[in-house]
Amino acid sequence: MKSLLAATLATVILTSPVKAETIAAQINQAHQQYEAAVASGDNSAALESARLAYQLAVDNSVEISNPDLLITSADNLALLLGSDRRLSVAREALTIISHEVDVIEAHYGDESDKLIQPLLDRSTLDNRIRDLDRRSRSRRDINQALDIIDEHYPDESITRAGLLTAVAEVLYYSLRDRRSKSVINDAVEIYEAHLPPEDPSRGYAEFLAGKIHYTSGSYQRATEHLEVAKQSYVREDAGRTQMGMATLALLVQSFSQLGEEDLATEYCLAIGRLSPFEGTDNYQPIFKAPAEYPRAASRSHIQGWVTVKYTVDEQGITRNHEVVASAFTKNGRNTAYGGGLEDAAVDSAKLFRYAPRFINGEAVATPGVHTRVRFQM
């Protein structure tokens, strides 16, 4: 990287004012094409324009007469490349962002505020590349483990099902690998042939399958697995258990996503009976719909938080919503204008589902419940 910068500085006298102006105009044109492509959602065209601008800047030493052209070109290209999941592309982005840092330091000093975002971006890419390296090794280990399972436990045995469940755990929780769905489905199929729904081993596999299907958006499949897991974890003789509560909570979330509000309410009430609520300050929802970022706030770069107060009724549904506090910033400065964030926070809170409070075995409304919704870009 230093050799690239040195070559750039060494060739400055070869760049005539007329040539510099011509090259600068070409780079600015490429920047405009990049911005138009980004605005239209054409990532391929945006990448092509960003590469052209950066290559022109590097090859023609424009950074000497106008370093901001190279800085912007490098930033645009690194931004696009950095969003790619491939390890080789992430490394290319890291090289480009490091070049940007070198140019800023050479022209503006190592304490320039222009360095803040590139340094943060470089740190993020550094961590991401290490993570991608780790994931690549982990996936090789997983493939080897699956090959060994196939070799030693080819039959549809309970031992094989248990090992496949363990593999699915790693794929889902550690690697976020989509193969977790097919692996856990294989395990569940084996358990179904050998064990009743009440068996803890089958119950856990069904729960994990439900969670994996929920995460992938297969809400109906999730409820089917979770209903089986419930038979293992939610029983009168078992009392309140962590797995039982987690199973019921996922059922509430799945049925809420499917629009089956009656069934969601049924399981909210079941959680309420198992987990009596005391107090309101830390009253957490079972299902919390993510708030949508309003376009007005996004376009104006407005961030902040909104605290909403409401009543949780006897069915765990929120009522009587009221904004009681909020704070917003625009480009790092405080602002009174929220760009629609307050309305978005209320709309989100209206979709929350809670386990209602029970007194003497009866569900009752709980007023004065607070939640803080944060908006960050």
Side-chain angles (χ1 to χ4, degrees):
M1 185 54 62
K2 290 184 178 179
S3 62
L4 175 62
L5 182 61
T8 297
L9 293 170
T11 56
V12 62
I13 59 174
L14 301 179
T15 305
S16 68
V18 174
K19 181 181 179 182
E21 290 179 5
T22 301
I23 298 300
Q26 293 175 343
I27 294 173
N28 282 323
Q29 182 180 10
H31 286 171
Q32 293 172 3
Q33 293 170 343
Y34 161 82
E35 292 172 359
V38 169
S40 66
D42 190 342
N43 288 339
S44 178
L47 182 59
E48 183 179 351
S49 297
R51 281 194 184 281
L52 174 62
Y54 180 68
Q55 202 60 53
L56 282 170
V58 171
D59 290 347
N60 294 278
S61 309
V62 175
E63 69 270 35
I64 304 306
S65 59
N66 187 354
D68 288 337
L69 285 175
L70 174 59
I71 292 168
T72 300
S73 300
D75 200 59
N76 290 344
L77 182 55
L79 179 64
L80 287 176
L81 295 175
S83 62
D84 196 294
R85 295 184 176 182
R86 290 172 292 178
L87 181 59
S88 60
V89 179
R91 284 178 173 149
E92 182 185 1
L94 181 61
T95 299
I96 293 168
I97 206 70
S98 295
H99 184 203
E100 180 184 355
V101 168
D102 287 343
V103 172
I104 293 173
E105 289 181 341
H107 287 275
Y108 296 103
D110 59 9
E111 295 183 357
S112 170
D113 61 355
K114 293 178 179 289
L115 284 167
I116 296 174
Q117 192 59 52
L119 288 174
L120 292 176
D121 291 341
R122 186 165 71 175
S123 176
T124 299
L125 281 168
D126 266 331
N127 288 328
R128 183 159 170 254
I129 287 171
R130 284 197 295 270
D131 187 51
L132 286 170
D133 275 329
R134 177 185 64 81
R135 286 171 180 261
S136 179
R137 290 193 299 272
S138 297
R139 287 191 172 93
R140 288 196 297 270
D141 292 342
I142 288 292
N143 291 336
Q144 184 178 355
L146 287 170
D147 288 341
I148 293 172
I149 292 172
D150 286 340
E151 180 179 352
H152 291 275
Y153 304 97
D155 57 327
E156 301 297 296
S157 65
I158 292 177
T159 301
R160 177 181 175 85
L163 292 170
L164 290 177
T165 301
V167 170
E169 277 188 305
V170 176
L171 288 171
Y172 176 70
Y173 288 111
S174 298
L175 300 180
R176 295 295 178 183
D177 192 309
R178 286 178 292 182
R179 288 182 298 168
S180 61
K181 184 186 291 187
S182 62
V183 173
I184 195 61
N185 285 344
D186 290 344
V188 167
E189 186 175 345
I190 296 172
Y191 278 133
E192 287 177 346
H194 293 281
L195 298 175
E198 298 81 9
D199 185 271
S201 295
R202 180 179 172 185
Y204 179 72
E206 297 278 7
F207 171 81
L208 182 58
K211 194 166 188 177
I212 290 171
H213 280 285
Y214 177 86
T215 302
S216 68
S218 301
Y219 304 122
Q220 186 59 49
R221 288 290 304 277
T223 62
E224 293 167 5
H225 288 292
L226 294 168
E227 290 280 14
V228 178
K230 179 170 67 74
Q231 297 180 56
S232 175
Y233 292 120
V234 184
R235 304 193 311 269
E236 290 185 6
D237 61 335
R240 175 185 175 183
T241 66
Q242 182 177 359
M243 288 301 299
M245 298 294 287
T247 300
L248 292 174
L250 268 175
L251 280 165
V252 171
Q253 295 174 35
S254 299
F255 283 122
S256 293
Q257 293 285 9
L258 291 169
E260 300 282 353
E261 295 303 331
D262 290 343
L263 288 170
T265 297
E266 176 185 331
Y267 288 114
C268 284
L269 293 171
I271 293 175
R273 294 187 185 96
L274 287 173
S275 180
F277 165 66
E278 297 178 1
T280 59
D281 290 345
N282 297 314
Y283 199 19
Q284 297 297 320
I286 300 167
F287 173 71
K288 189 173 184 179
E292 294 187 8
Y293 219 112
R295 285 189 177 182
S298 178
R299 289 174 178 172
S300 300
H301 302 286
I302 295 174
Q303 305 182 88
W305 55 264
V306 179
T307 297
V308 183
K309 182 177 74 170
Y310 43 79
T311 295
V312 175
D313 71 10
E314 298 86 346
Q315 295 184 326
I317 298 172
T318 62
R319 311 283 187 189
N320 305 323
H321 306 82
E322 176 187 357
V323 173
V324 294
S326 60
F328 311 112
T329 61
K330 179 178 180 179
N331 296 323
R333 297 183 177 181
N334 293 334
T335 178
Y337 174 60
L341 295 185
E342 289 190 348
D343 289 340
V346 170
D347 289 341
S348 174
K350 288 179 179 179
L351 300 177
F352 290 3
R353 295 304 301 263
Y354 285 80
R357 184 180 184 184
F358 276 74
I359 296 179
N360 297 325
E362 295 293 331
V364 298
T366 304
V369 178
H370 292 70
T371 193
R372 177 169 288 187
V373 182
R374 296 185 182 277
F375 295 88
Q376 292 181 317
M377 300 183 67

